[in-house]
Amino acid sequence: PLVEAGLIRQVCLADTPELGKSEDTSANARALLLTLSAQECARKSHPFLRAVVLTFWQPLLIWELLRIFEHFVGLLNPLLLQQVLIFQEAQSSAATPADVHP
């Protein structure tokens, strides 16, 4: 709908959809600042790193799991290709003697 409206007329701010609660930048920044101040008050080492991880651990976990899945899919590709090539070779070797008639 947004692209179609952009083809007809200039898109304005009212045309854009609202962001979800998890995508609210100011709420995320406030949560990060609150966690950062709590870490600094507790005199923990590396307070900013701890605050980022404590605030955004769920999206970071999902992101890392997707990266691991992507890595395994990349490793799976050559194995699948090997099986396809073995199957094709078996099919072509089985078809060759049957096609030849003396």
Side-chain angles (χ1 to χ4, degrees):
L2 186 62
V3 175
E4 293 170 359
L7 292 173
I8 298 169
R9 59 181 168 73
Q10 181 68 34
V11 177
C12 61
L13 187 59
D15 295 327
T16 60
E18 289 190 27
L19 296 175
K21 287 186 177 185
S22 63
E23 297 171 339
D24 186 8
T25 307
S26 61
N28 288 335
R30 277 193 307 272
L32 179 61
L33 289 175
L34 286 172
T35 309
L36 179 61
S37 65
Q39 293 296 316
E40 287 175 342
C41 288
R43 301 185 95 35
K44 301 271 187 173
S45 61
H46 308 290
F48 184 72
L49 182 61
R50 289 176 183 264
V52 168
V53 170
L54 288 173
T55 305
F56 302 111
W57 69 271
Q58 293 167 333
L60 289 173
L61 177 67
I62 292 170
W63 185 38
E64 288 301 320
L65 289 174
L66 287 174
R67 287 183 59 194
I68 291 170
F69 179 72
E70 176 189 17
H71 181 70
F72 281 123
V73 167
L75 291 175
L76 190 64
N77 191 20
L79 297 174
L80 289 174
L81 183 61
Q82 177 189 13
Q83 294 300 319
V84 168
L85 291 175
I86 289 172
F87 176 75
Q88 285 180 341
E89 186 176 319
Q91 290 293 321
S92 65
S93 66
T96 305
D99 290 340
V100 178
H101 296 288

